[in-house]
Structure formats: C-alpha cells, structure tokens
Amino acid sequence: MSVVNIEMPEEMVSFVLPANKEEQLKRNAMMLYPYVHDGIISHGRAAEILGIYKIDLIVLYGRLGIPYIEMTDEEIDEELSTAASLKEVIS
C-alpha cells in the first residue's frame, strides 16, 4: 500500500475516510471504475490491484448498481437474434 496526499473540499473528507475495510474496498473500487469503464484496465486487473477475485469485484459493482455487461435492450435483442440464427444453422 502507498499513502497519497490529495486536496479536496473539507466536506468530502468524511466520505473518503472509510470506517472499515469494506468501505475502503468500495471506495478503492469506485476510484478504479472509470478506468474499467473506459477500457483502460479490465475487471480482472482492477480486482488484482484491489487484492480480490474478479467475480467479487463484479458482484461489488453489481451491488452498487453498476452492471458487468452494459448493453441496451436493442443490443441484447440483436445478440439473442444472432444466437438463435446461429443455433438454426448449426442444427
């Protein structure tokens, strides 16, 4: 672990200093999320950095309302249609 000094509004301090290890993990996961979302690092790499399993990170993000797969309803329908078409071709 490293210690990093950052400047922030005084009102934020209580939100950034976690009360326990679970809150600390949530904070750190959320700090990494923009990089995961933008494809700079993978969920697996973020989990490695946090010292947890990838599935645990996916579940944590899910509990925070962040989906593992981000697709619109139309994209999901298209994927299902493609899978159905492939199934017919293979059968």
Side-chain angles (χ1 to χ4, degrees):
M1 288 286 194
S2 294
V3 175
V4 177
N5 293 314
I6 58 173
E7 287 187 31
M8 67 179 58
E10 186 67 35
E11 294 83 14
M12 285 181 60
V13 173
S14 63
F15 299 109
V16 179
L17 297 176
N20 56 49
K21 290 281 187 191
E22 184 178 335
E23 290 299 316
Q24 182 179 8
L25 177 61
K26 278 191 219 177
R27 179 205 57 207
N28 291 344
M30 291 308 296
M31 289 175 68
L32 287 173
Y33 183 72
Y35 303 101
V36 173
H37 181 266
D38 292 344
I40 297 169
I41 61 173
S42 66
H43 280 85
R45 179 65 183 126
E48 285 177 13
I49 292 168
L50 295 169
I52 62 174
Y53 293 107
K54 176 181 174 181
I55 190 65
D56 294 332
L57 179 62
I58 292 167
V59 168
L60 173 63
Y61 283 149
R63 284 191 202 128
L64 296 171
I66 301 169
Y68 178 63
I69 298 174
E70 295 185 49
M71 297 175 82
T72 65
D73 289 345
E74 292 80 23
E75 290 171 327
I76 292 170
D77 289 342
E78 185 178 325
E79 290 290 322
L80 291 172
S81 176
T82 300
S85 297
L86 290 174
K87 183 178 178 183
E88 289 175 13
V89 171
I90 293 172
S91 299

